[in-house]
Amino acid sequence: MARFWVCVAGAGFFLAFLVLHSRFCGSPVLRNFTFAVSWRTEKILYRLDVGWPKHPEYFTGTTFCVAVDSLNGLVYIGQRGDNIPKILVFTEDGYFLRAWNYTVDTPHGIFAASTLYEQSVWITDVGSDFMILWLHGENGTGPAKFNIPHSVTLDSAGRVWVADRGNKRIQVFDKDTGEWLGAWNNCFTEEGPSSVRFTPDGKYLIVAQLNLSRLSVVAAPPVGSIGECSVISTIQLADQVLPHLLEVDRKTGAVYVAEIGAKQVQKYVPLNSYVPSFGS
């Protein structure tokens, strides 16, 4: 028994030594220890896949949107510009497959909805004579009113999450009835959300903020409650990168970000190693 308490005291002394050594000498040992603690708290972290895509020279316009067909391993990218292909198709590994420039004028959003029997890609084209209507669409600042509704996603509980960019909030609705369930605005005092997507496990939302050039990981609320927005971690991109819309691969969890300032799409992959926060 005495030996046990001696071991406990020794361990405590060792940790105290590490704290003091890190405080005054910048020891990397404690930094590794803190990483392990952060990993235990299940903070989601990503790293930039610098090798994606293999041929970035195909980005010849302003990249406005991106969608992932996880079933077929394809990434669709919409770009704007004159005399350029408007839709680019890459593999998830970053190899260019094809492009097209017909039927699309000015792409704004893109969504892949493939099944085992059919490949389907939906594109919102602000240059075409189509109008997209939703259950709520009145301009304003109150509940169920919008100022530049910029992105929509659905969770497994049947809630619709709308990035209400101009009002600096995310609004939530019931997908069947359209009932307003609540809103988040405490996380977006500086800049409204331009894009919102869920991670494959549904535990977190990835949110882009255009003019801040920032991505945030936000904890998803439990079913039956909206609560307050809680940021888990962030990725601070370079100035003027301007992340417009993003997509999450439903199989791998990789995040693809269409950046209208940098005129490129970048890929972030989840880390299994324990790193305390984005960008560290």
Side-chain angles (χ1 to χ4, degrees):
M1 190 65 176
R3 181 176 300 175
F4 169 79
W5 288 112
V6 168
C7 292
V8 170
F13 175 81
F14 178 67
L15 288 177
F17 170 78
L18 285 179
V19 171
L20 292 173
H21 191 267
S22 176
R23 174 66 180 83
F24 295 106
C25 305
S27 169
V29 177
L30 184 62
R31 286 199 296 269
N32 290 336
F33 176 74
T34 3
F35 289 177
V37 172
S38 293
W39 175 77
R40 295 292 182 185
T41 62
E42 295 186 351
K43 288 188 178 180
I44 297 182
L45 299 150
Y46 293 79
R47 66 170 177 83
L48 175 63
D49 185 347
V50 295
W52 199 98
K54 307 295 183 186
H55 301 285
E57 63 269 19
Y58 285 102
F59 296 143
T60 52
T62 302
T63 47
F64 259 71
C65 49
V66 58
V68 180
D69 178 354
S70 302
L71 195 62
N72 296 289
L74 301 175
V75 179
Y76 294 86
I77 295 166
Q79 59 178 4
R80 294 184 187 179
D82 297 327
N83 302 313
I84 63 168
K86 300 301 174 64
I87 304 297
L88 308 175
V89 187
F90 292 84
T91 67
E92 288 182 336
D93 294 330
Y95 292 100
F96 175 77
L97 293 179
R98 57 187 176 275
W100 74 78
N101 194 29
Y102 55 89
T103 72
V104 179
D105 181 19
T106 312
H108 185 272
I110 188 168
F111 180 74
S114 294
T115 68
L116 292 173
Y117 309 101
E118 181 182 27
Q119 283 183 266
S120 179
V121 178
W122 297 76
I123 302 168
T124 56
D125 186 352
V126 297
S128 299
D129 295 327
F130 293 99
M131 182 177 293
I132 300 174
L133 300 177
W134 201 58
L135 183 62
H136 299 285
E138 185 179 349
N139 186 55
T141 59
K145 295 182 179 180
F146 300 97
N147 182 5
I148 316 179
H150 208 260
S151 175
V152 178
T153 194
L154 186 71
D155 68 14
S156 59
R159 297 176 294 190
V160 178
W161 298 72
V162 183
D164 188 4
R165 177 179 157 193
N167 285 325
K168 297 183 179 180
R169 65 186 178 184
I170 292 177
Q171 296 199 70
V172 190
F173 300 86
D174 181 276
K175 78 175 181 68
D176 295 319
T177 65
E179 178 188 359
W180 185 81
L181 301 177
W184 281 351
N185 52 27
N186 58 300
C187 290
F188 311 113
T189 56
E190 295 178 90
E191 163 81 8
S194 62
S195 187
V196 56
R197 287 291 185 270
F198 278 89
T199 55
D201 59 10
K203 292 182 178 180
Y204 303 93
L205 295 93
I206 311 295
V207 180
Q209 290 172 283
L210 181 74
N211 293 311
L212 293 180
S213 291
R214 179 187 297 166
L215 307 179
S216 297
V217 178
V218 181
V223 177
S225 170
I226 300 302
E228 291 290 318
C229 175
S230 177
V231 175
I232 303 301
S233 198
T234 60
I235 301 177
Q236 184 59 56
L237 307 177
D239 289 343
Q240 300 305 311
V241 163
L242 306 181
H244 184 247
L245 293 174
L246 61 83
E247 185 61 282
V248 177
D249 190 312
R250 306 304 299 172
K251 284 186 177 179
T252 67
V255 179
Y256 295 85
V257 185
E259 301 168 349
I260 60 175
K263 297 184 177 180
Q264 64 183 6
V265 170
Q266 295 202 96
K267 176 183 179 182
Y268 293 85
V269 296
L271 283 178
N272 292 323
S273 57
Y274 24 88
V275 183
S277 63
F278 280 116
S280 297

